[in-house]
Amino acid sequence: YIEGVAGERFAVRNSGAVAVVEGLGDHGCEYMTGGVVVVLGDTGRNFAAGMSGGVAYVYDPANRFEPLCNMSMVDLERIGAPSSEELGRPSQKSISVENNGMGDMLAFDAERLKILVERHLLHTGSKRAKAILDNWDTAVGQFWKVMPKDYRRALVDMADARRTAAAVAAE
């Protein structure tokens, strides 16, 4: 949790860390393979180049982020309304060393994002995090989710395999 702007190449080759920053330079999340990164401000160019795993969320109320993102391996989507499902929901605390509490990466984006912004406020006292949380109903729709295409496909395939295995076991 960094109250302030990180430099260039922040979270490059991130393979599992959870990080929240208030802005960063060029080449953020380059070659990222896992983890979750939240950017509560501007990014530099070439964001997500070679990103094959993990998820990033970028706060973009001025709609400047899209042309700065390297779209060769990722999709961008706006954050939707919170889910009513329970299974896979993220938690405020880490579950264990192996489970950082981020939940099902295909769902619960609004919940996960709010937890991380709340943690950022708790750990840093960030005025930016407080302003976002004070206006959460509007602010949540101003975030982009950056999701690697192949990572999404792998998560969907794994979820389908679990459902199939559960159905076979139930027979």
Side-chain angles (χ1 to χ4, degrees):
Y1 301 94
I2 300 172
E3 183 184 16
V5 177
E8 292 189 3
R9 302 188 108 75
F10 182 77
V12 168
R13 298 197 186 279
N14 179 18
S15 62
V18 175
V20 182
V21 298
E22 296 187 358
L24 49 86
D26 294 344
H27 313 291
C29 298
E30 188 178 39
Y31 302 114
M32 185 167 145
T33 61
V36 179
V37 172
V38 177
V39 183
L40 301 179
D42 291 332
T43 72
R45 64 183 175 78
N46 204 34
F47 188 90
M51 184 178 176
S52 62
V55 174
Y57 300 99
V58 178
Y59 183 58
D60 184 31
N63 288 312
R64 294 188 297 224
F65 175 67
E66 198 168 0
L68 298 172
C69 188
N70 184 321
M71 300 294 294
S72 63
M73 294 178 67
V74 300
D75 289 322
L76 293 180
E77 58 191 67
R78 288 294 188 178
I79 306 302
S83 175
S84 62
E85 295 290 318
E86 287 299 321
L87 187 63
R89 184 177 293 283
S91 64
Q92 188 58 264
K93 294 182 179 181
S94 295
I95 309 300
S96 67
V97 172
E98 295 84 22
N99 182 344
N100 62 13
M102 291 294 98
D104 180 353
M105 299 309 282
L106 292 171
F108 306 109
D109 295 307
E111 294 92 332
R112 178 178 308 106
L113 190 52
K114 188 170 186 184
I115 286 169
L116 290 171
V117 176
E118 288 170 342
R119 286 182 187 176
H120 185 68
L121 176 61
L122 175 69
H123 293 301
T124 68
S126 166
K127 291 180 178 136
R128 181 168 295 176
K130 177 143 178 36
I132 289 169
L133 290 168
D134 286 348
N135 191 30
W136 183 251
D137 290 341
T138 301
V140 69
Q142 297 173 327
F143 278 90
W144 288 106
K145 178 182 184 179
V146 182
M147 178 69 135
K149 296 170 187 175
D150 288 342
Y151 182 55
R152 177 188 306 280
R153 190 172 314 122
L155 291 174
V156 167
D157 289 349
M158 288 185 333
D160 289 346
R162 278 192 301 274
R163 279 192 294 278
T164 301
V168 168
E171 291 176 358

